[in-house]
């Protein structure tokens, strides 16, 4: 397994986590007809959603953390990777119970595994990664300081592409599928 695969795995699973959390937080919003009566509550809920997303993305793209992540190293074990995402999900005011975190992690891995298995060429995994990065940038488009952190990582991903690790990502999920 490549020692430069971890950043792609982290960013893609993190992107999936953000999609899922955003969708679930939006689903908690009050419908428009009820929101007129309780507009303060509806605005508060939207502000909390943005705060949760910004907190998680800020933590996910922390400069020191990413410096360590981008260093050549073996992939984390399944348990260690799960712990990273457990801590990441709780980097905000949001709290998930164990069952919710289990479901979140299962959805993240299933969605990304599906995307990886649909990639006909290894370089397509990088396109999936850029798609995740674009979505993450969209989440923080109104917060320049966080957006610059994400942009820096985007540039680092371009460098990772030059190292040809995408085919290793395919192997990771194929081997994990066969071993489970």
């Amino acid at each position: 397994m490549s020692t430069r695969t971890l950043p792609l795995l982290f960013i893609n699973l993190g992107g999936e986590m953000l999609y899922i959390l955003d969708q679930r937080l939006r689903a908690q919003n009050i419908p428009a007809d009820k929101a007129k009566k309780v507009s303060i509550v509806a605005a508060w809920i939207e502000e909390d959603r943005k705060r949760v997303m910004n907190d998680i993305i800020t933590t996910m793209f922390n400069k020191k953390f990413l410096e360590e992540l981008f260093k050549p190293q073996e992939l984390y074990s399944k348990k260690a990777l799960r712990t990273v995402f457990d801590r990441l999900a709780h980097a905000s005011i949001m709290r998930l119970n164990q069952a919710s975190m289990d479901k979140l992690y299962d959805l993240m891995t299933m969605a990304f595994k599906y995307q990886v298995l649909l990639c006909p060429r290894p370089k397509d995994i990088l396109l999936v990664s850029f798609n995740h990065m674009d979505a993450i940038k969209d989440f923080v488009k109104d917060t320049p300081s966080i957006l610059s952190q994400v942009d820096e990582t985007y540039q680092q991903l371009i460098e990772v592409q030059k190292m040809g690790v995408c085919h290793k990502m395919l192997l990771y999920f194929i081997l994990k599928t066969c071993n489970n």
Side-chain angles (χ1 to χ4, degrees):
M1 192 61 57
S2 173
T3 58
R4 299 195 183 270
T5 305
L6 186 58
L8 285 174
L9 185 61
F10 176 76
I11 287 166
N12 284 292
L13 288 174
E16 288 300 326
M17 180 177 78
L18 291 166
Y19 288 152
I20 295 163
L21 291 176
D22 184 61
Q23 188 273 329
R24 295 309 312 144
L25 291 169
R26 286 179 189 273
Q28 292 179 6
N29 255 342
I30 298 171
D33 59 333
K34 292 183 182 179
K36 291 177 186 172
K37 297 175 188 171
V38 288
S39 61
I40 294 170
V41 174
W44 185 81
I45 291 171
E46 178 61 16
E47 286 302 311
D48 278 348
R49 183 193 65 76
K50 287 180 181 178
R51 181 176 166 199
V52 166
M53 298 301 285
N54 283 348
D55 288 350
I56 292 172
I57 294 169
T58 298
T59 303
M60 187 175 168
F61 291 92
N62 174 283
K63 192 172 184 84
K64 283 190 165 211
F65 175 71
L66 286 176
E67 284 173 4
E68 289 300 315
L69 191 72
F70 273 88
K71 286 181 181 175
Q73 59 186 301
E74 292 299 319
L75 286 174
Y76 296 165
S77 68
K78 285 177 88 174
K79 184 177 180 179
L81 194 61
R82 165 62 196 263
T83 300
V84 168
F85 283 104
D86 196 343
R87 290 184 180 157
L88 185 60
H90 292 99
S92 69
I93 59 172
M94 179 189 67
R95 294 292 170 253
L96 297 172
N97 63 30
Q98 188 64 41
S100 294
M101 189 61 212
D102 290 344
K103 288 177 186 173
L104 173 61
Y105 191 74
D106 287 345
L107 280 171
M108 291 162 47
T109 55
M110 282 190 300
F112 184 49
K113 185 185 296 186
Y114 178 73
Q115 292 169 357
V116 168
L117 293 175
L118 287 179
C119 291
R121 298 172 306 264
K123 70 179 181 179
D124 291 334
I125 295 171
L126 195 63
L127 297 177
V128 170
S129 302
F130 287 141
N131 185 47
H132 282 115
M133 291 294 293
D134 288 340
I136 293 167
K137 287 170 68 170
D138 195 47
F139 286 134
V140 294
K141 65 183 173 213
D142 298 327
T143 315
S145 60
I146 304 171
L147 185 58
S148 70
Q149 288 176 269
V150 177
D151 282 334
E152 282 182 42
T153 306
Y154 202 96
Q155 292 305 313
Q156 286 179 298
L157 272 183
I158 292 170
E159 292 302 314
V160 167
Q161 175 207 12
K162 294 175 185 173
M163 295 174 201
V165 299
C166 294
H167 67 283
K168 303 294 184 187
M169 186 72 67
L170 275 172
L171 288 174
Y172 176 79
F173 278 111
I174 290 170
L175 291 174
K176 291 295 180 186
T177 301
C178 294
N179 293 335
N180 286 335

